[in-house]
């Protein structure tokens, strides 16, 4: 398991006294919490703005609906216009078909009358183009049963007419122009032409009706589109007017809130200064209290240690007396008495010495934290890579014993801060990583850093024992440690780290 210790040091605030920062925060809280203060006015303005936004949101949704409706009408109008255009094209194709058949008949009759094949040009063109145009017409009216039936009948008539024309031309080509004219005079071709015109008239009438229906639908659609567009314009104007009214109301509320905020901030500097002063006094009292308590605890501790030394000296005399008594009157020296003098008493004195020594270290730790809290921080440029290198040299024996390597980022950024505080922070973290290496695994301690805006972020990572999740906060408390207690220490290193990091901002 890998443990990681990270600390972010703000270069702008390094060295700022904690009382000032905390005092400013306290002053802000007091000012913002004043009954009926600017916070209430701002909240009222925001609440009114949110309530007024509901109609605006509804209007916007309605405007979106109008826009979608307009798009639908525009799309439908486009379809109607396309259909009308297609109907016009169909009517033009019907007229073109009639023209082709008439041209074919005109060419045939010119040839028969003049016996000049130069007149057959329209006939030849009509004979080819008319059937093709009929097929195109049938494709164009696909889906209309009435028109399809009309075109089927018209196709039979056109085919019969073209056959009649072809027969007369064939007879004339054999030189029998009189016979060809006789075929014309039997009035069969004229009958076909009359029926073709009648069928095309029916076709034209139906297509005209379809076109009228489509035109009417397109006009209705255009009217609805215009209405939707006008409704959208009216809605936009209404929303714009409402937004203007809403903005004026919100602006008025914000101006009122700003006025109340300005009134509340008139005495803010005095309030902040007062809170800073109170906090500074409280901090000083805490420091003095810690110093006095430590001093008062040391006085009885010194007495206990002194009397323990006297008891230890007296123990020698008691031992000598026991030996003399054993020689003079062996019956009064029982095994229990000998055990009490030779074993129990030394053990008790040993426990007392161990406890007093531990208490002495704890008192020294409290005094150290008290002195550190009173020390004035002095920002200065710090070459962090050189500082970490020096820390590694001071721990070289421990690193070698644990087969550990201290790796430092080549371009580790420096910073401007209190050098001693930074040295203590990194020193405690590196020493902890060195102290709690994992048995049987070569140690690796890596120190990296990177810039994050106007701040610097440093990381000390190691592959040692690791720290259980439940102890992540606990280990930064005074006199608290994590895991197996098989390494020397009183549990003040990480507490010092957190205290100094906070002081540096």
């Amino acid at each position: 398991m890998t443990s990681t210790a990270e600390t972010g040091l703000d270069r702008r605030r390094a060295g700022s006294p904690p009382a000032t920062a905390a005092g400013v925060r306290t002053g802000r809280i007091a000012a913002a919490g004043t009954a009926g203060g600017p916070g209430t006015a701002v909240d009222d303005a925001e609440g009114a703005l949110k309530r007024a936004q509901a109609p605006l949101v509804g209007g916007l949704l309605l405007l979106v609906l109008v826009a979608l409706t307009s798009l639908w009408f525009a799309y439908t109008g486009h379809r109607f216009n396309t259909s009308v255009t297609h109907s016009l094209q169909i009517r033009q194709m019907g007229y073109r078909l009639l023209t082709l058949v008439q041209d074919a008949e005109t060419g045939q009759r010119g040839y028969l009358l003049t016996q000049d094949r130069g007149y057959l040009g329209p006939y030849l063109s009509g004979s080819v183009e008319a059937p093709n145009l009929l097929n195109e017409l049938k494709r164009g009216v696909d889906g209309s049963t009435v028109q399809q039936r009309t075109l089927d009948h018209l196709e039979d008539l056109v085919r019969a007419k073209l056959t009649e024309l072809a027969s007369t031309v064939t007879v004339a080509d054999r030189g029998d122009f009189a016979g060809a004219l006789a075929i014309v005079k039997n009035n069969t071709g004229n009958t076909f032409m009359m029926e073709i015109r009648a069928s095309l008239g029916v076709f034209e009438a139906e297509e005209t009706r379809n076109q009228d229906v489509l035109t009417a639908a397109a006009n209705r659609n255009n009217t609805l589109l215009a209405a939707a567009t006008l409704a959208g314009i009216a809605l936009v104007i209404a929303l714009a007017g409402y937004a203007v009214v809403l903005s004026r109301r919100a602006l008025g509320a914000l101006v009122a809130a700003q006025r109340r905020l300005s009134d509340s901030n008139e005495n803010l500097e005095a309030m902040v200064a007062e809170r800073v002063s109170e906090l500074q006094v409280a901090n000083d009292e805490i420091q003095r209290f810690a110093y006095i308590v430590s001093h008062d605890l040391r006085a009885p501790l010194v007495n206990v240690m002194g009397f323990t030394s006297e008891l230890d000296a007296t123990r020698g005399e008691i031992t000598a007396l026991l030996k003399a008594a054993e020689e003079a009157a062996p019956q009064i020296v029982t095994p229990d008495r000998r055990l009490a003098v030779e074993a129990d008493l030394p053990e008790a004195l040993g426990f007392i010495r161990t406890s007093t020594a531990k208490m002495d270290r704890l008192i020294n730790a409290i005094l150290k934290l008290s002195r550190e809290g009173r020390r004035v921080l002095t920002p200065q440029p710090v070459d962090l890579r050189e500082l970490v290198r020096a820390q590694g040299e001071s721990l070289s024996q421990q690193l070698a014993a644990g087969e550990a390597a201290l790796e430092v980022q080549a371009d580790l950024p420096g910073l401007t801060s209190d050098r001693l505080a930074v040295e203590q922070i990194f020193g405690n973290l590196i020493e902890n990583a060195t102290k709690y290496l994992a048995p049987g695994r070569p140690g690796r301690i890596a120190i990296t850093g990177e810039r994050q805006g106007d701040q610097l972020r440093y990381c000390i990572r190691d592959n040692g024992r690791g720290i259980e999740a439940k102890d992540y906060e606990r280990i930064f408390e005074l006199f608290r440690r994590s895991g197996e207690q098989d390494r020397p220490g009183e549990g003040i290193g990480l507490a010092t780290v957190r205290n100094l990091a906070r002081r540096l901002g």
Side-chain angles (χ1 to χ4, degrees), residues 276-401:
V276 169
S277 177
E278 291 175 359
L279 189 57
Q280 185 64 55
V281 171
N283 288 341
D284 293 341
E285 287 295 331
I286 292 173
Q287 299 295 338
R288 284 195 295 271
F289 176 76
Y291 181 80
I292 292 171
V293 168
S294 301
H295 183 272
D296 291 347
L297 287 176
R298 184 176 292 279
L301 181 62
V302 170
N303 290 334
V304 171
M305 295 173 67
F307 283 116
T308 302
S309 298
E310 292 186 11
L311 284 174
D312 194 31
T314 304
R315 182 175 63 85
E317 297 180 3
I318 294 174
T319 302
L321 179 61
L322 180 65
K323 290 182 180 179
E326 188 176 15
E327 292 175 356
Q331 68 279 4
I332 67 173
V333 181
T334 64
D336 290 340
R337 291 170 180 169
R338 180 181 292 105
L339 181 64
V341 173
E342 294 180 353
D344 293 345
L345 185 57
E347 183 179 12
L349 291 173
F351 282 136
I352 293 173
R353 280 199 175 93
T354 301
S355 298
T356 54
K358 181 175 181 180
M359 188 172 183
D360 184 57
R361 290 194 299 272
L362 295 178
I363 291 173
N364 288 333
I366 294 175
L367 287 173
K368 180 180 178 181
L369 288 176
S370 176
R371 295 191 194 98
E372 187 61 39
R374 294 195 302 270
R375 189 174 68 82
V376 177
L377 299 177
T378 306
Q380 60 179 304
V382 178
D383 184 345
L384 198 58
R385 180 173 173 78
E386 180 61 26
L387 184 146
V388 172
R389 187 190 62 77
Q391 293 284 348
E393 290 180 354
S394 66
L395 295 170
S396 57
Q397 292 184 353
Q398 293 92 319
L399 291 170

Side-chain angles (χ1 to χ4, degrees), residues 4-63:
T4 304
E6 300 184 355
T7 178
L9 305 179
D10 190 334
R11 298 198 299 169
R12 297 173 303 168
R13 297 178 295 173
S16 299
T20 302
V24 171
R25 287 194 294 270
T26 306
R28 287 175 181 167
I29 293 171
T34 304
T40 305
V42 173
D43 291 341
D44 292 344
E46 290 180 351
L49 184 60
K50 288 180 180 178
R51 289 191 299 272
Q53 283 176 346
L56 186 61
V57 172
L60 289 175
L61 293 177
L62 185 58
L63 182 60

Side-chain angles (χ1 to χ4, degrees), residues 18-252:
T20 302
V24 171
R25 287 194 294 270
T26 306
R28 287 175 181 167
I29 293 171
T34 304
T40 305
V42 173
D43 291 341
D44 292 344
E46 290 180 351
L49 184 60
K50 288 180 180 178
R51 289 191 299 272
Q53 283 176 346
L56 186 61
V57 172
L60 289 175
L61 293 177
L62 185 58
L63 182 60
V64 171
L65 180 60
V66 171
L68 292 176
T69 304
S70 298
L71 289 175
W72 168 253
F73 283 138
Y75 170 72
T76 305
H78 174 71
R79 284 198 303 136
F80 282 139
N81 292 333
T82 302
S83 299
V84 170
T85 302
H86 179 69
S87 180
L88 288 173
Q89 291 174 347
I90 292 296
R91 292 176 63 186
Q92 290 175 354
M93 290 168 64
Y95 178 76
R96 172 65 176 162
L97 177 63
L98 179 60
T99 302
L100 287 173
V101 176
Q102 289 177 340
D103 288 347
E105 186 181 49
T106 300
Q108 172 242 16
R109 290 184 179 182
Y111 172 55
L112 295 181
L113 293 174
T114 63
Q115 300 181 10
D116 183 1
R117 292 190 63 84
Y119 284 93
L120 287 178
Y123 160 75
L124 297 174
S125 299
S127 299
V128 175
E129 294 182 18
N132 294 334
L133 188 57
L134 265 171
N135 292 331
E136 190 175 349
L137 268 173
K138 293 177 72 174
R139 288 194 298 269
V141 298
D142 187 25
S144 175
T145 306
V146 175
Q147 296 293 67
Q148 285 285 359
R149 284 201 303 266
T150 302
L151 288 177
D152 289 342
H153 179 59
L154 185 60
E155 184 179 17
D156 294 338
L157 292 173
V158 170
R159 185 181 299 110
K161 177 60 179 177
L162 292 178
T163 301
E164 183 263 337
L165 294 176
S167 64
T168 59
V169 171
T170 301
V171 172
D173 285 342
R174 292 200 296 264
D176 186 6
F177 287 95
L181 288 173
I183 296 174
V184 173
K185 290 179 180 179
N186 68 13
N187 210 30
T188 303
N190 186 44
T191 302
F192 287 147
M193 280 302 300
M194 292 176 62
E195 291 182 3
I196 289 174
R197 288 189 181 94
S199 294
L200 282 173
V202 172
F203 181 82
E204 172 78 13
E206 178 65 19
E207 200 61 39
T208 300
R209 188 188 67 80
N210 290 337
Q211 183 177 335
D212 291 341
V213 171
L214 291 172
T215 302
N219 291 335
R220 287 196 303 273
N221 186 80
N222 291 336
T223 302
L224 293 174
L225 176 59
T229 303
L230 290 176
I233 294 173
L235 186 57
V236 168
I237 294 174
L239 288 177
Y242 183 76
V244 170
V245 174
L246 183 63
S247 299
R248 288 183 177 178
R249 288 179 181 175
L251 182 60

